[in-house]
Amino acid sequence: MKILILPDPAAAVARCAQIIAQTLTETPQAVLGLATGGTMEPVYADLVRRAEAGEVSLERMTSFNLDEYVGLPPEHPQSYHTYMAERLFGPLGLDPARTHLPRGDAEDPATEAARYDAAIGQAGGIDLQLLGIGGNGHIGFNEPSSSLASPTRVKTLTSATREANARFFGPDETVPRFAITMGIATILRSRRAVLLATGASKASAVAAMVEGPLSARCPASALQLHPSATVVLDTEAAAELELRQYYETVHPKGQEVMLG
Ligand code: GLP
């Protein structure tokens, strides 16, 4: 794992956006795996700014989002379809045929999950998978106890996750109990993964992911098996890493370093 520790959340967001932009500059038709959540909002704002400035184009990429709530149709204001449409796909006028999310309103969510997993394979697999992390160590909606070999499937959300995500829903709305999520095996098949975490609320999950045992207790720890995983952190999210000094020596201020 490559651990990049940036001085503040804005610098971590910019570093993450830069990695995505660089991938698209090198491979304009890349297949991106995309994430949602509060952490990703400034990343998408940064990408929109870069695209509008002509620094990068997302027009030829294909995307597959990690997850969607079961029961929410795409047009639901709290669906991840709407999240992506408002923050990235709409502002950039991207071709909807190239942007994919699981259908939360599918008649049979299990069949939809299997279809989605197969569609990722048919697209050639994911070149760059963007990830956030839940306070309980989840990636996508792979909650603790998820099989580290899991395919895309339906998962029951923990009460901790439903409470954390209640802030996106109105006071009279219930956070869905289930989601379709890319599995951990699906995520591990990506050719490169970049996980962004900012803020003190992620510090213990980040430490468990990077330095804890490989365990379904912290699903993000499965990234220890990924051959090319980069973890981009601000100092607060990095606060509980025991080997922090080492990571900062290897990558001062989160920069790449050359041998020699
Ligand atoms: C959500 C999403 C994840 C996201 C995580 C953290 O529930 N399913 O993909 O990484 O929880 O979200 P946030 O960035 O809002 O803390």
Side-chain angles (χ1 to χ4, degrees):
M1 275 175 160
K2 192 186 279 188
I3 315 297
L4 308 180
I5 302 172
L6 283 296
D8 55 52
V13 164
R15 189 79 174 83
C16 183
Q18 182 211 347
I19 292 170
I20 301 166
Q22 191 184 339
T23 300
L24 289 167
T25 301
E26 288 164 11
T27 315
Q29 71 283 14
V31 179
L32 299 187
L34 298 177
T36 51
T39 311
M40 296 303 152
E41 291 180 7
V43 175
Y44 296 138
D46 191 323
L47 281 177
V48 169
R49 182 193 59 73
R50 286 173 193 257
E52 285 172 347
E55 294 171 24
V56 67
S57 169
L58 281 78
E59 279 170 21
R60 291 173 59 199
M61 65 115 191
T62 298
S63 69
F64 287 90
N65 264 76
L66 281 165
D67 44 20
E68 179 59 287
Y69 291 111
V70 168
L72 301 194
E75 60 279 6
H76 189 285
Q78 272 70 48
S79 75
Y80 284 161
H81 280 79
T82 299
Y83 174 107
M84 293 306 301
E86 287 179 349
R87 290 166 180 82
L88 191 68
F89 304 156
L92 295 182
L94 299 182
D95 177 1
R98 305 182 86 90
T99 62
H100 306 273
L101 291 95
R103 286 287 300 230
D105 58 346
E107 203 171 308
D108 179 359
T111 305
E112 168 62 3
R115 180 200 67 78
Y116 194 72
D117 214 75
I120 294 170
Q122 281 153 17
I126 290 169
D127 293 306
L128 178 67
Q129 176 66 56
L130 181 60
L131 295 162
I133 185 170
N136 65 0
H138 73 225
I139 45 175
F141 270 130
N142 293 285
E143 298 282 35
S145 81
S146 287
S147 160
L148 302 186
S150 48
T152 300
R153 71 220 182 286
V154 177
K155 281 298 291 179
T156 305
L157 304 182
T158 61
S159 50
T161 294
R162 293 179 71 214
E163 277 160 29
N165 287 1
R167 69 190 195 279
F168 296 110
F169 288 78
D172 302 328
E173 290 179 309
T174 331
V175 181
R177 292 182 53 218
F178 304 98
I180 297 174
T181 180
M182 272 191 211
I184 293 182
T186 319
I187 292 168
L188 291 181
R189 275 197 297 273
S190 59
R191 287 182 266 280
R192 185 176 181 192
V194 177
L195 185 144
L196 172 66
T198 52
S201 67
K202 302 294 171 66
S204 62
V206 164
M209 163 178 67
V210 176
E211 297 175 343
L214 175 65
S215 164
R217 183 69 186 84
C218 176
S221 67
L223 292 175
Q224 294 173 22
L225 292 172
H226 196 291
S228 180
T230 301
V231 177
V232 183
L233 305 170
D234 69 346
T235 49
E236 287 193 346
E240 292 184 30
L241 289 168
E242 285 179 15
L243 301 179
R244 176 174 169 179
Q245 224 181 354
Y246 170 66
Y247 311 135
E248 290 179 329
T249 306
V250 180
H251 297 288
K253 295 194 170 70
Q255 296 309 305
E256 299 291 340
V257 279
M258 297 298 152
L259 295 176

